[in-house]
Amino acid sequence: MKKKFFVLTMMAMALSLSICAQSGDKQSVLWSYCDDGAIGEGVDAETPLSYEAVIFIPAEEMAPYEGKQITEIRAGLTGAATNLYPIISTKYGTNEISQDGVNGKSGWNKIKLDQPYTIGKSDLYVGYGCTGGPVIGFSEVFHPNGNMLSVGNHNWLDYAANGCCALNIRMKIEGTDLPFDVRLLSINKQKTTPGGDLTFKGSAMAMSPVQVKNFEVELSIDGKVVTTQTISSNSYLTNGSVSSFALTAKAPEEVREYTANVRVSAVNGQPDGVPANSSLDADLVVCDETYPRTVLVEEGTGCWCGWCVGGIVGVNYMNTLYPDQFVCIAVHSDDQMDVHENYGPIFSFFPKFPSAVVNRDSEYMIYPDQQELQTAYTKLNKSAIATLSADALVADDDFSYIVVKSSTHFAIDSDHEYRLAYVVVEDEVGPYLQTNYYAGGRNGAMGGFEKKSGQVVMTYDHVARGIYDSYYGVKGSVPAHITKGEEYSYTYKLNLPNNIQDKKNVKVVVLLINQMTGEIINAKRCTPVKDTSVSTLVPDACGDPMYYDLNGRQMSTPADGFQIIRHADGSASKVLVR
């Protein structure tokens, strides 16, 4: 009997040691924004290119690791690469690590640092560089700081800004007394009726040097704690593993928009050691009525992309079925219709071509064929919290500017920021040569393209020519405080860009954008009509120019480097400021 008791006691002690950090012991953790699953599909490339892939880590998230050491970078690749080297830096676009590159393979690659890197008090950029084909691995987990990518020696572009999932990048941190940490990865937005049931579904990743048996999650609505629940697992969560959970509660009775917050408050009964990554906000809408919604698709495409004819067929199919409630904007890249200059941030939604995003909702990043477009439309076209109407007016047939009169009407009260954006699109653009990978039926049927040659002379519809006054919309175009049932009108004058081929084929698409989530709430496509009174509706453009970075974000003053200057007359130019 004593022997059995001794064995059980030793087992309990071993178990305790496995889930409790021992002060002074040297420990390690694999720190990342990605999950522990399979490495996702990489960035497309026709020929080998040089890449740099990094994640950004704010100083407050690194603070609990100050004085600890990074000893290894792990890179998840989708194919073979050469010159695979580590990147660690406290400054954007630079690298403080100098060591020779190695060959990389498909899967996880360990890059051991020649000299450990001691973590200080600054922000960090961590990742890798390499040369190869479509080799950059993406996870299935989103994080707003998890995806910065340079392709072909260009600047690092923030792909996460518009919903792309985290890169497969990990760093090994070693030291003593590492913090207990469970990072909150995701939480879904909610829309319900007054007093209705809420189910916030989320996911969290164990980032502790010990196994995690349970963690505590707290739900607040507009700063008031609603519920706290302990999430337990049948098996211990090891470093890098992900756990899903659901928090249930009742919605408030008042019809308006709220901010919900979910926070990991404890890990294994102890306070979470990295508060900076334990909390996420989510949009909560409580409404007793909704309005019809126009489904807005922004499609990444190009003449050079042989698969993109599938997107052309899918969009044409949807436009025929739903001419009024479905709107597509074709955003071209690296061809004669390229709009990177002022539509740049949208390309972060397109890890390959063709791709599309519906209503700028990262849950609906899709391949734009008939089936996926139809599925997204069916789910999204029935329920909007605001109406949007618009008219586009021109003074004469030879117009150089368009005046857009729009109005919005909300089903809720809200203090969240909304903006209107204006997209100029053109039909029948071209003719240009379109590459066609379905020629001769070699890849199956595709709306008649299987009967055409490998290079098709064609014109293009729904072509984005510019977005005003920026990708994020016009500040102040919707009031800061929104009252349910009130109608808000706004008039905007935009000058036509110089890339228009034929003014009679121009249309304007107005977008209503939630600035908290980035989501397009509703949209309206309108064809300009003649109205000789338009010159009296808004004053001529005047005032100082506005400055934007290459991601389309407005800056208060010009800074060193490339940027976009939008002049008072509506024209734009790309300049290098030194």
Side-chain angles (χ1 to χ4, degrees), residues 282-305:
D283 197 37
L284 167 60
V285 173
V286 177
C287 57
D288 52 12
E289 62 177 321
T290 56
Y291 306 115
R293 186 179 198 175
T294 296
V295 175
L296 190 283
V297 171
E298 290 163 298
E299 178 202 13
T301 187
C303 297
W304 50 269
C305 168

Side-chain angles (χ1 to χ4, degrees), residues 395-415:
D396 52 48
D397 293 332
D398 191 31
F399 57 92
S400 60
Y401 65 87
I402 300 174
V403 172
V404 184
K405 299 173 65 177
S406 54
S407 63
T408 54
H409 180 103
F410 285 77
I412 56 170
D413 293 342
S414 179
D415 290 320

Side-chain angles (χ1 to χ4, degrees), residues 111-316:
I111 314 170
K112 187 174 178 60
L113 300 185
D114 293 343
Q115 296 293 329
Y117 183 95
T118 301
I119 298 171
K121 298 179 181 293
S122 301
D123 299 337
L124 280 182
Y125 296 89
V126 175
Y128 63 91
C130 68
T131 301
V135 296
I136 306 300
F138 291 80
S139 71
E140 294 184 352
V141 173
F142 173 78
H143 192 281
N145 297 323
N147 193 321
M148 301 184 76
L149 186 62
S150 165
V151 181
N153 296 316
H154 293 292
N155 291 334
W156 293 349
L157 177 63
D158 185 2
Y159 275 58
N162 293 324
C164 280
C165 289
L167 295 165
N168 288 115
I169 293 173
R170 293 173 174 165
M171 61 176 172
K172 187 174 183 180
I173 300 177
E174 295 186 357
T176 59
D177 300 321
L178 296 179
F180 284 26
D181 180 29
V182 170
R183 172 186 289 121
L184 193 59
L185 296 176
S186 65
I187 193 73
N188 65 320
K189 57 183 179 288
Q190 290 277 279
K191 182 163 61 178
T192 189
T193 55
D197 293 332
L198 297 174
T199 303
F200 284 96
K201 296 180 180 179
S203 60
M205 179 190 295
M207 296 293 295
S208 295
V210 298
Q211 295 175 322
V212 174
K213 181 59 178 176
N214 58 68
F215 57 97
E216 189 176 88
V217 184
E218 176 185 277
L219 170 65
S220 301
I221 297 177
D222 277 3
K224 181 180 179 181
V225 177
V226 175
T227 185
T228 300
Q229 299 178 23
T230 299
I231 311 301
S232 300
S233 175
N234 292 329
S235 58
Y236 297 127
L237 296 176
T238 57
N239 185 190
S241 59
V242 175
S243 175
S244 299
F245 62 87
L247 298 176
T248 57
K250 289 292 184 181
E253 294 290 340
E254 185 180 353
V255 173
R256 66 181 181 88
E257 193 165 20
Y258 298 83
T259 298
N261 176 269
V262 175
R263 181 176 73 93
V264 177
S265 55
V267 179
N268 287 350
Q270 299 187 28
D272 185 279
V274 189
N277 68 22
S278 65
S279 176
L280 287 177
D281 289 339
D283 197 37
L284 167 60
V285 173
V286 177
C287 57
D288 52 12
E289 62 177 321
T290 56
Y291 306 115
R293 186 179 198 175
T294 296
V295 175
L296 190 283
V297 171
E298 290 163 298
E299 178 202 13
T301 187
C303 297
W304 50 269
C305 168
W307 299 112
C308 287
V309 296
I312 295 171
V313 172
V315 167
N316 288 342

Side-chain angles (χ1 to χ4, degrees), residues 162-164 189 293 296 298 346 349 356-366 376 380 471 517-521:
N162 293 324
C164 280
K189 57 183 179 288
R293 186 179 198 175
L296 190 283
E298 290 163 298
I346 194 65
F349 280 114
V357 61
V358 186
N359 296 334
R360 293 190 189 166
D361 186 338
S362 59
E363 294 182 22
Y364 292 93
M365 295 169 59
I366 64 173
L380 296 175
Y471 175 83
T517 65
E519 185 180 353
I520 294 171
I521 302 303

Side-chain angles (χ1 to χ4, degrees), residues 339-374:
V339 284
H340 269 88
E341 190 165 288
N342 76 346
Y343 221 131
I346 194 65
F347 291 97
S348 296
F349 280 114
F350 308 145
K352 61 180 182 177
F353 284 66
S355 291
V357 61
V358 186
N359 296 334
R360 293 190 189 166
D361 186 338
S362 59
E363 294 182 22
Y364 292 93
M365 295 169 59
I366 64 173
Y367 178 80
D369 64 4
Q370 296 180 17
Q371 181 177 347
E372 293 201 34
L373 287 169
Q374 179 69 70

